[in-house]
């Protein structure tokens, strides 16, 4: 049972309900209690027992839970039903519509002090913000969700989605090192503490791949991808099964079978969550494509990256799909398909900004610069390199900065601007030799697979 309200609040509620129904204190009290007891209870001077509340609820024609807490009958189940609906909306790609549904649940949960439902709604709002690219708002929602879960002493696996959400919002905002810190420290705490929750671990390993890759920690990225794939649940058409459970829940709820409806809703919510995890697994195809590209296996790399792009492009993860598109464009260029690569890059550049996908925006400009050089258009190439340089300096991506400075220096030297080329080379060398810019701490403990 939920925690009941204080005696004064309950007393006022009993009095208001009694007056609304035109009942006297005697009519409410008899046969088990006296009018004097009801008067004392309504004044808030006595804490009613469960038996007394059940008697009063029956006389007043409402449910015990509603009288004890002020929450309408079946509110929690109704909110869970709304949450699974919002999760389904988000899983199908309509992030803005999902945000409206989550916001409605949040307002109701806050009004009635339902912390668990508040946390779930906040997580949904955060995920919606990630999908729409509103990273600042998403980060705040995830922080609020984590705070709500801390208030009810939720275990670490239950807090993982909020922690992961914060990390992803920092990563997409260009704060790679802090994102890795959040994810690795949580993985380490889970594994060292024996909290081997497969879903929590899968979510963390899938999410840390991108930051690892951008920081040049390719071995760790590859290891995280393999661990994520080993943890991935095998499932069929999750959306179909989840929709079935939600429909069953509606039927059970209409029949008053609350416990069974709750159980069915729980299954639906879990399936929708797994559906979103399957989208996260696109990161693993992304990583494999990257590894194949590094090894010169360009045909296999293109296939993996196209698979990742297909998984992410169904309107659900526009920012992620744009990032994969940049890496696919690189492979296409290396396979001699430069026109297709350039067209793909121009399509996705509008999805990026300095605060949203800065590293991949820089990568897109870098590749467009290379393509322009190949087409003997040094002015366009220089413009793209300079834009990329500005983005990388803000994000602090040292390894990429050094490489870009080399490209820019070579271009300036070939066009006769030797002093400017030397400045570019010096800048690149400074980033290459800066201490601590590409190192990570010890790897987190691994799960016992």
């Amino acid at each position: 049972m939920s925690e009941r309200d204080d005696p004064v609040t309950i007393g006022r509620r009993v009095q208001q309900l009694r007056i609304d129904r035109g009942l006297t204190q005697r009519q409410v009290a008899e046969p088990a209690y006296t009018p004097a007891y009801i008067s004392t209870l309504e004044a808030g001077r006595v804490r009613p027992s469960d038996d007394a509340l059940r008697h009063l609820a029956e006389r007043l024609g409402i449910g015990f839970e509603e009288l004890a807490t002020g929450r309408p009958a079946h509110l929690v189940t109704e909110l869970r039903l709304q949450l699974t609906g919002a999760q389904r909306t988000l899983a199908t790609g309509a992030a803005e519509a999902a945000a409206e549904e989550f916001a409605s649940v949040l307002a109701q949960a806050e009004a009635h002090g339902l912390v668990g439902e508040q946390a779930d709604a906040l997580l949904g709002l955060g995920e919606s913000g990630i999908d729409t690219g509103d990273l600042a708002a998403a980060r705040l929602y995830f922080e609020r969700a984590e705070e709500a879960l801390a208030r009810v002493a939720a275990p670490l696996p239950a807090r993982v989605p909020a922690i992961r959400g914060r990390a992803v919002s920092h990563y997409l905002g260009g704060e790679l090192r802090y994102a890795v810190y959040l994810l690795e420290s949580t993985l380490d705490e889970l594994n060292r503490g024996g909290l081997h929750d497969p879903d929590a671990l899968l979510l963390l390993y899938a999410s840390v791949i991108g930051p690892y890759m951008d920081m040049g920690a390719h071995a760790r990225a590859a290891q995280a991808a393999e661990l994520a794939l080993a943890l991935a649940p095998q499932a069929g058409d999750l959306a179909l099964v989840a929709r079935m459970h939600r429909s069953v829940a509606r039927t059970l709820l209409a029949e008053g079978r609350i416990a069974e409806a709750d159980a069915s809703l729980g299954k639906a919510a879990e399936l929708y969550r797994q559906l979103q995890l399957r989208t996260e697994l696109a990161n693993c195809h992304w990583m494999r494509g990257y590894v194949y590209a590094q090894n010169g296996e360009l045909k296999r790399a293109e296939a993996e990256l196209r698979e990742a792009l297909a998984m992410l492009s169904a309107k659900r993860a526009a920012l992620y799909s744009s990032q994969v598109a940049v890496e696919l464009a690189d492979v296409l260029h290396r396979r001699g398909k430069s026109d297709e690569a350039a067209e793909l890059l121009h399509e996705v550049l509008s999805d990026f900004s300095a605060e949203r996908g800065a590293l991949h925006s820089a990568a897109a400009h870098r590749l467009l610069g290379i393509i322009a050089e190949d087409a003997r258009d040094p002015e366009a190439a220089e413009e793209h390199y300079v834009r990329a340089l500005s983005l990388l300096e803000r994000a602090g991506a040292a390894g990429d900065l050094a490489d870009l400075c080399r490209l820019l220096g070579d271009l300036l030297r070939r066009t006769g601007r030797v002093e400017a080329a030397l400045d570019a080379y010096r800048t690149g060398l400074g980033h290459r030799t800066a201490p601590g810019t590409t190192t990570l701490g010890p790897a987190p403990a691994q799960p016992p697979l």
Side-chain angles (χ1 to χ4, degrees), residues 95 176 233 235:
L176 280 68

Side-chain angles (χ1 to χ4, degrees), residues 15-270:
Q15 183 181 50
Q16 187 62 53
L17 288 167
R18 178 180 62 78
I19 293 172
D20 290 346
R21 285 155 176 74
L23 300 173
T24 66
Q25 291 180 339
R26 182 178 299 279
Q27 288 173 316
V28 171
E30 292 180 345
Y33 300 93
T34 66
Y37 174 75
I38 300 302
S39 177
T40 304
L41 186 151
E42 289 183 352
R45 294 196 296 270
V46 62
R47 183 177 186 83
S49 65
D50 285 355
D51 288 341
L53 283 176
R54 288 191 180 91
H55 168 83
L56 291 170
E58 183 180 353
R59 301 296 287 174
L60 293 167
I62 66 170
F64 169 82
E65 185 77 6
E66 184 173 358
L67 183 60
T69 66
R71 297 166 192 156
H74 313 327
L75 174 65
V76 172
T77 302
E78 289 288 355
L79 289 182
R80 287 176 184 162
L81 191 62
Q82 292 176 41
L83 279 169
T84 58
Q87 289 163 350
R88 177 186 178 279
T89 302
L90 181 60
T92 56
E96 293 181 356
E100 293 180 2
E101 295 175 35
F102 284 122
S104 174
V105 174
L106 178 61
Q108 296 175 75
E110 287 180 335
H112 294 93
L114 298 170
V115 178
E117 286 67 30
Q118 285 181 49
D120 286 343
L122 287 165
L123 284 172
L125 285 165
E127 291 293 344
S128 301
I130 291 289
D131 283 3
T132 59
D134 191 352
L135 302 181
R139 188 177 309 158
L140 290 175
Y141 285 130
F142 288 127
E143 289 172 355
R144 288 174 60 190
E146 199 172 352
E147 291 167 1
L149 291 167
R151 288 200 300 272
V152 295
L156 181 58
R159 302 198 309 273
V160 161
I163 297 170
R164 173 260 177 196
R166 280 205 298 134
V168 170
S169 65
H170 282 289
Y171 163 53
L172 295 177
E175 301 172 72
L176 280 68
R177 199 164 283 279
Y178 186 62
V180 168
Y181 162 75
L182 284 174
L183 295 166
E184 282 196 339
S185 59
T186 307
L187 279 166
D188 198 59
E189 188 175 351
L190 281 171
N191 289 326
R192 291 189 186 281
L195 302 172
H196 302 124
D197 183 289
D199 288 342
L201 291 170
L202 173 57
L203 193 58
L204 293 168
Y205 281 122
S207 300
V208 80
I209 292 170
Y212 277 157
M213 289 170 65
D214 288 340
M215 294 183 72
H218 302 148
R220 287 203 191 177
Q223 184 181 52
E226 291 306 315
L227 289 169
L229 290 170
L231 288 161
Q234 300 298 314
D237 189 345
L238 296 176
L240 182 61
V241 179
R243 189 159 59 249
M244 177 272 294
H245 280 297
R246 187 163 177 260
S247 298
V248 169
R250 282 188 178 279
T251 303
L252 295 170
L253 189 60
E255 295 175 358
R257 297 157 66 182
I258 306 302
E260 294 169 82
D262 282 347
S264 195
L265 283 172
K267 292 175 182 177
E270 174 65 17

